[in-house]
Amino acid sequence: MTSSLHIGEEVSGALAAGLPVVALESTIFSGMGLPSPANRECLERCDAAIRDGGAIPALTAVIDGIGVVGVEAGDIDRVLAGSAKVAARDLPFAVATSLDVGVTTVSATVTLAAAAGISVFATGGIGGVHRGSELTGDISHDLLAMSRHPVATVSAGAKAFLDLPGTLEYLETMGVPVVGWNTDRFPAFYTRDSGVGVTATVRTGADVAEMMTAAADLGHPGGVLVANPIPEAAELDPDRINAALDAALAEVAAKGLRGPAVTPLVLAAIADATDGDSIPANLALAENNAIVAAEIASAVAAG
Ligand code: PSU
Ligand code: MN
């Protein structure tokens, strides 16, 4: 290990023993992903779901200038209160300048997970190709990062404020397999069907573990995106959520926002526009992703 990377005690013990481990990002659990106290509840539910599934959770963050995989209990409050969003390309600067607390996005998490030797990661939703990207150039580094590191990312698809067909095209260009978890539809975070299909369906953790092994055997780099729809009981009404998304996008446009500030503002605006109903949905889908990730990690560990 280097001074740039620290693996928490429980996680390093699990890795050494060959036990299943599931990485977690931290932006979703900070105020930039979910408001307090839902952020803490979300982390606790994801943590418990991973443990119930027989795996060890590994929350990632930058703490005191070190990329941490497996944030220790004493540092959790700092992560929940974190406000510096760290994508993969921000990691070198965060370490070099001893950033006190950085919350990791999907791209930073797949990078740190791969560095620690973890091959499964649960998130809420990934970043993607933004609507209007042909003018703004705004395409999340999440997509490229998934093509670089051999990590399976379990996500409830991506939010419909993105250009979802464009996001899937970009993943195809980058060579990232996108598989539906017991579905042939690409989910849109709060809703189970974005209207766009996926090319392959998986049914078990072993299916995904075998894909990862095959990719490694054949020299195909990068990971897999596992698209896991929100549970039916938690799904929001598509018309309502689409109206909220339009209002959120209008707010972003009116403020002239660009870059990494866009996603947190849209997330907060959606919570406002749905009178907070988006929050329990967000918690339910994150927990559901943690359950699936634990199943995949168990299959990976079983080899
Ligand atoms: N989408 C969500 N919730 C989130 C994010 C995305 O529904 O919390 C976060 C994730 O950490 C993701 C990041 O990796 O936003 C993408 O940010 P950007 O669009 O700036 O790449
Ligand atoms: Mn962006």
Side-chain angles (χ1 to χ4, degrees):
M1 196 166 337
T2 64
S3 57
S4 304
L5 176 70
H6 174 76
I7 304 179
E9 205 178 315
E10 185 187 25
V11 174
S12 71
L15 289 170
L19 297 175
V21 177
V22 173
L24 293 169
E25 62 151 307
S26 47
T27 296
I28 179 177
F29 307 120
S30 76
M32 277 178 303
L34 282 164
S36 175
N39 59 341
R40 185 185 300 275
E41 184 190 339
C42 191
L43 174 58
E44 287 170 358
R45 281 171 60 178
C46 288
D47 189 284
I50 292 166
R51 291 182 193 280
D52 287 349
I56 300 297
L59 179 64
T60 66
V62 172
I63 307 275
D64 298 325
I66 299 175
V68 175
V69 177
V71 173
E72 307 289 0
D75 288 322
I76 294 287
D77 285 354
R78 295 173 69 192
V79 173
L80 295 175
S83 59
K85 179 175 159 186
V86 172
R89 66 132 178 205
D90 305 315
L91 285 168
F93 187 74
V95 171
T97 58
S98 292
L99 179 66
D100 57 347
V101 180
V103 291
T104 46
T105 65
V106 168
S107 68
T109 303
V110 294
T111 304
L112 291 172
I118 296 170
S119 51
V120 185
F121 159 42
T123 181
I126 57 164
V129 175
H130 284 253
R131 295 187 199 171
S133 72
E134 61 277 22
L135 295 176
T136 63
D138 195 351
I139 298 175
S140 177
H141 181 56
D142 290 356
L143 305 181
L144 181 57
M146 284 190 279
S147 78
R148 281 192 178 154
H149 303 288
V151 175
T153 296
V154 183
S155 159
K159 285 206 174 74
F161 70 78
L162 298 169
D163 170 0
L164 296 182
T167 297
L168 289 170
E169 286 295 347
Y170 196 85
L171 287 165
E172 188 264 335
T173 301
M174 291 293 123
V176 178
V178 180
V179 295
W181 182 265
N182 290 298
T183 181
D184 62 357
R185 315 304 302 159
F186 189 69
F189 203 79
Y190 299 116
T191 54
R192 291 173 57 85
D193 182 359
S194 64
V196 192
V198 291
T199 47
T201 299
V202 292
R203 310 216 170 266
T204 66
D207 287 347
V208 179
E210 282 165 23
M211 285 181 70
M212 308 269 292
T213 302
D217 287 349
L218 300 173
H220 181 70
V224 177
L225 176 60
V226 180
N228 180 34
I230 184 171
E232 261 167 72
E235 188 179 24
L236 296 183
D237 173 50
D239 291 338
R240 192 162 168 238
I241 199 68
N242 287 334
L245 289 170
D246 289 343
L249 288 176
E251 190 176 336
V252 167
K255 290 193 169 150
L257 277 186
R258 286 283 178 94
V262 169
T263 297
L265 186 121
V266 174
L267 299 180
I270 292 169
D272 271 359
T274 58
D275 299 318
D277 286 351
S278 63
I279 307 293
N282 204 335
L283 268 53
L285 66 86
E287 181 180 44
N288 193 41
N289 292 340
I291 292 168
V292 169
E295 182 180 332
I296 297 169
S298 298
V300 168

